[in-house]
Amino acid sequence: MNNSTPYLYSMKFSLLLISLLCLQITNAQRASNPLLFADVPDMSMIRVGNTYYMSSTTMHMAPGIPIMKSTDLSNWQLIGYAYDTLADTDALNLTNGKNSYGNGSWASCLRYHNGIFYLSSFAQNTGRTYIYTCTDIEQGNWKAHSFRPSLHDHSLFFDDDEKIYMIWGAGRLQIAELEPDLSGLKKGGLNQVLIENASAPAGENTGLPAEGSQLFKVKDWYYLFNITWPKGGMRTVLIHRAKNIRGPWEGRVALQDRGIAQGGLIDLPDGRWFSYLFRDYGAVGRIPYLVPVSWENEWPVLGINGKVPDSLDLPVNQSLIPGILCSDDFNREKGEAQLPLPWQWNHNPDNRYWSLQKRHGWLRLTNGRTDSSLLSARNMLTQRTAGPQCSGRTLIDLKRMREGDIAGLCLLQKNYGFIGVKKTGGLYQLIMVNAEKGQPVEIPIRTLSKKKVWLRADCDFRNMTDKARFYFSLNGKEWNPAGGILQMTYTLPHFMGYRFAIFNYSTSTPGGYVDVDYFRVGPARD
């Protein structure tokens, strides 16, 4: 060993440390999967110039079909909705004992063609297919077109010859040409089975048949994306390709990793490609992932060695607040929107019974009828929860509640939970309600002497823990736990991740109201 050896070892060790630090810094500056840790399922995505737009599914919520914007494919913000209300029916209005939980508009398809934006969807409970059009997606002003029948999980497609098609179905996929004015299926146009058994590449033992169609054309090839779910397996991405839209089509399994599936293709101005997909992630809902795409023998190859990476060569994704979730002090200046875009009503609202004007800086929720349960309560104002942890809190003025009124802060799903106040026997009783087993169990907390109460709900979605805790405060500073843990469960009847919800309903005498001072959302504390 000569005198320079220790120096060389020291230099090598220093360079190794620098390399590791640089790698950590580089990873810290990269985007991570999931792309959005919130319920944003059934995505459809386009790029117009250097800007990306995405639509998603919110079913029974109003307004509906949310539209989001990004300039880097990593960070997204809500910019609008396709409609205020889908239709005027008892189920969508939550009236006459009917509801639209898990129904309403499903899997939308967003397209841009010849200067016009197209956004299509369908609803089984109205029996119709919907196509919305506008020339400025950021300003909205969508024009609605609709026709029968309801085409399940369809893909809207504009071919090079200006013909307009829809591909739809489950397992047995069909294609039909549309009228140029979007009024329905074209009389005498192409209308045939496209692929008899699209599930076949995944094997014969299929549970969920191939659905969720999204069609793209890249150079001379048509590529059709679908999802299937082999029995005993996981949600799987299938891709079929053809040189002619009528076929013949050849298919293959494109991805099987952690159930990340259903979506399509998006390209970047620099020539890179990604696939946008989503994953069922317990009670928070169905969360989006981005997957790098390479090309081999004119097939899109998803992932890295067949896996979805945890980090991406994109700008780091920032907080979902305020782009996807937001706090709100309900203090509106003249000309401002009534509600920030992250808010959606549970079903169509009755606008006679909520206001931001009757008490400046407060949201007033008035009971216009009686209801037997929380899930039948109208004018419930909601927004998404988010992972890995989140917290929502609010301050409610109770003094105008009437006998039998119940108001509070909820985590909304079929197996819901809430912290709230029930006026009974002239007293204001603080309660927690836990419906984790399907039926609500009321837990009395204490009688309130003051007519204001601070309420809080915390969610833990880490590793699908799916636990929620509720708290109350009498001064807005010191928080007290209330009622134990709610074990959140994603259920198909609602088909949606848990949502924060502010509510007020009457079980006895309509006309009472509560005033809500604010809603604040942020990270939860352990």
Side-chain angles (χ1 to χ4, degrees):
M1 182 180 292
N2 58 43
N3 291 335
S4 65
T5 300
Y7 173 76
L8 291 173
Y9 283 160
S10 177
M11 284 292 293
K12 288 181 179 178
F13 184 68
S14 297
L15 289 171
L16 178 61
L17 284 176
I18 291 170
S19 297
L20 289 172
L21 286 171
C22 288
L23 181 62
Q24 288 177 346
I25 291 170
T26 301
N27 285 337
Q29 294 173 341
R30 289 163 60 93
S32 60
N33 270 319
L35 180 66
L36 302 171
F37 209 144
D39 193 45
V40 184
D42 303 333
M43 305 94 69
S44 183
M45 196 180 293
I46 59 172
R47 178 175 64 85
V48 180
N50 293 319
T51 305
Y52 307 90
Y53 299 100
M54 175 169 65
S55 64
S56 179
T57 292
T58 48
M59 293 174 294
H60 53 274
M61 296 289 170
I65 312 185
I67 302 143
M68 302 166 213
K69 171 187 175 182
S70 175
T71 56
D72 60 10
L73 198 58
S74 180
N75 295 282
W76 294 83
Q77 64 174 358
L78 278 161
I79 61 170
Y81 294 89
Y83 60 80
D84 289 328
T85 58
L86 179 66
D88 183 12
T89 67
D90 282 343
L92 288 164
N93 291 336
L94 204 56
T95 54
N96 294 322
K98 297 183 179 180
N99 70 72
S100 194
Y101 286 114
N103 287 298
S105 59
W106 282 9
S108 60
C109 182
L110 181 61
R111 294 291 181 260
Y112 180 71
H113 181 69
N114 290 344
I116 298 176
F117 292 90
Y118 296 81
L119 184 55
S120 64
S121 185
F122 71 102
Q124 292 176 331
N125 60 341
T126 65
R128 304 189 74 85
T129 297
Y130 299 86
I131 304 177
Y132 301 89
T133 59
C134 73
T135 56
D136 188 337
I137 194 172
E138 299 192 26
Q139 293 299 317
N141 299 318
W142 294 90
K143 180 182 178 181
H145 314 258
S146 72
F147 58 83
R148 295 185 183 276
S150 172
L151 302 183
H152 175 80
D153 272 17
H154 65 250
S155 179
L156 181 65
F157 185 76
F158 295 84
D159 212 345
D160 297 336
D161 59 4
E162 297 301 315
K163 290 183 178 180
I164 310 170
Y165 296 101
M166 273 192 174
I167 294 91
W168 76 95
R172 187 173 187 259
L173 304 181
Q174 296 177 258
I175 184 170
E177 186 180 351
L178 299 186
E179 296 284 359
D181 63 0
L182 309 176
S183 60
L185 304 185
K186 185 176 181 179
K187 296 179 181 178
L190 178 67
N191 190 339
Q192 66 179 52
V193 173
L194 188 70
I195 303 174
E196 184 65 43
N197 181 13
S199 311
E204 297 180 0
N205 195 18
T206 303
L208 177 72
E211 61 177 17
S213 293
Q214 294 200 33
L215 182 64
F216 307 88
K217 190 173 186 182
V218 181
K219 297 181 181 178
D220 296 329
W221 287 93
Y222 297 87
Y223 296 97
L224 180 61
F225 277 62
N226 289 100
I227 177 180
T228 190
W229 196 333
K231 290 181 179 178
M234 67 180 72
R235 291 162 54 92
T236 298
V237 180
L238 298 177
I239 299 177
H240 286 79
R241 73 176 186 178
K243 279 289 187 76
N244 188 299
I245 197 168
R246 297 175 183 237
W249 293 84
E250 56 179 326
R252 64 195 291 185
V253 170
L255 183 70
Q256 286 182 320
D257 182 27
R258 292 175 284 170
I260 299 168
Q262 190 165 336
L265 285 171
I266 189 76
D267 69 324
L268 281 67
D270 62 13
R272 288 181 294 159
W273 289 81
F274 284 87
S275 180
Y276 53 88
L277 306 166
F278 70 79
R279 179 185 181 191
D280 290 294
Y281 202 85
V284 74
R286 296 177 287 169
I287 59 179
Y289 280 69
L290 279 179
V291 184
V293 172
S294 57
W295 293 85
E296 294 180 9
N297 300 320
E298 298 181 291
W299 280 101
V301 178
L302 276 55
I304 299 174
N305 296 321
K307 300 295 181 183
V308 177
D310 292 328
S311 64
L312 302 162
D313 187 17
L314 292 170
V316 63
N317 15 14
Q318 306 291 337
S319 172
L320 299 185
I321 304 168
I324 307 298
L325 290 78
C326 76
S327 297
D328 192 354
D329 63 5
F330 300 116
N331 188 7
R332 300 291 178 270
E333 301 300 329
K334 188 175 180 179
E336 286 186 319
Q338 284 283 82
L339 293 170
L341 290 171
W343 286 121
Q344 289 176 284
W345 297 101
N346 177 34
H347 291 70
N348 296 343
D350 187 334
N351 293 320
R352 297 172 297 172
Y353 297 110
W354 71 275
S355 173
L356 294 173
Q357 286 75 43
K358 291 187 177 179
R359 184 178 178 183
H360 185 70
W362 297 71
L363 165 69
R364 178 164 295 179
L365 296 176
T366 302
N367 292 322
R369 67 183 194 190
T370 61
D371 288 296
S372 59
S373 69
L374 175 86
L375 295 181
S376 61
R378 205 165 180 188
N379 287 4
M380 197 184 312
L381 190 59
T382 84
Q383 59 175 283
R384 294 170 179 84
T385 56
Q389 295 173 283
C390 63
S391 177
R393 59 192 68 186
T394 189
L395 168 60
I396 301 181
D397 186 332
L398 313 165
K399 61 179 174 287
R400 298 299 182 184
M401 292 179 73
R402 292 187 176 180
E403 187 73 12
D405 286 2
I406 303 175
L409 176 64
C410 178
L411 289 171
L412 179 63
Q413 232 274 0
K414 177 180 178 292
N415 299 341
Y416 61 86
F418 73 75
I419 178 78
V421 176
K422 176 174 70 173
K423 189 170 185 182
T424 178
L427 300 175
Y428 294 83
Q429 179 69 48
L430 183 71
I431 60 173
M432 185 264 186
V433 171
N434 186 323
E436 68 180 27
K437 297 188 184 301
Q439 295 297 322
V441 176
E442 183 179 310
I443 303 167
I445 307 299
R446 60 173 295 169
T447 300
L448 299 175
S449 57
K450 296 182 179 180
K451 304 302 184 294
K452 288 184 181 180
V453 66
W454 287 258
L455 305 174
R456 177 177 133 203
D458 289 4
C459 301
D460 184 357
F461 299 113
R462 293 174 297 179
N463 300 315
M464 301 192 200
T465 300
D466 293 346
K467 296 186 184 301
R469 294 170 174 84
F470 296 91
Y471 302 84
F472 73 95
S473 175
L474 302 179
N475 56 18
K477 299 176 182 178
E478 299 165 344
W479 291 96
N480 307 284
I485 294 173
L486 170 72
Q487 184 61 57
M488 296 180 285
T489 307
Y490 189 94
T491 71
L492 290 181
H494 279 213
F495 214 175
M496 185 175 290
Y498 276 75
R499 285 185 162 241
F500 292 114
I502 299 171
F503 68 90
N504 178 35
Y505 70 98
S506 170
T507 64
S508 178
T509 307
Y513 63 83
V514 296
D515 289 332
V516 183
D517 190 15
Y518 61 79
F519 174 78
R520 292 176 187 152
V521 64
R525 308 168 186 169
D526 281 323

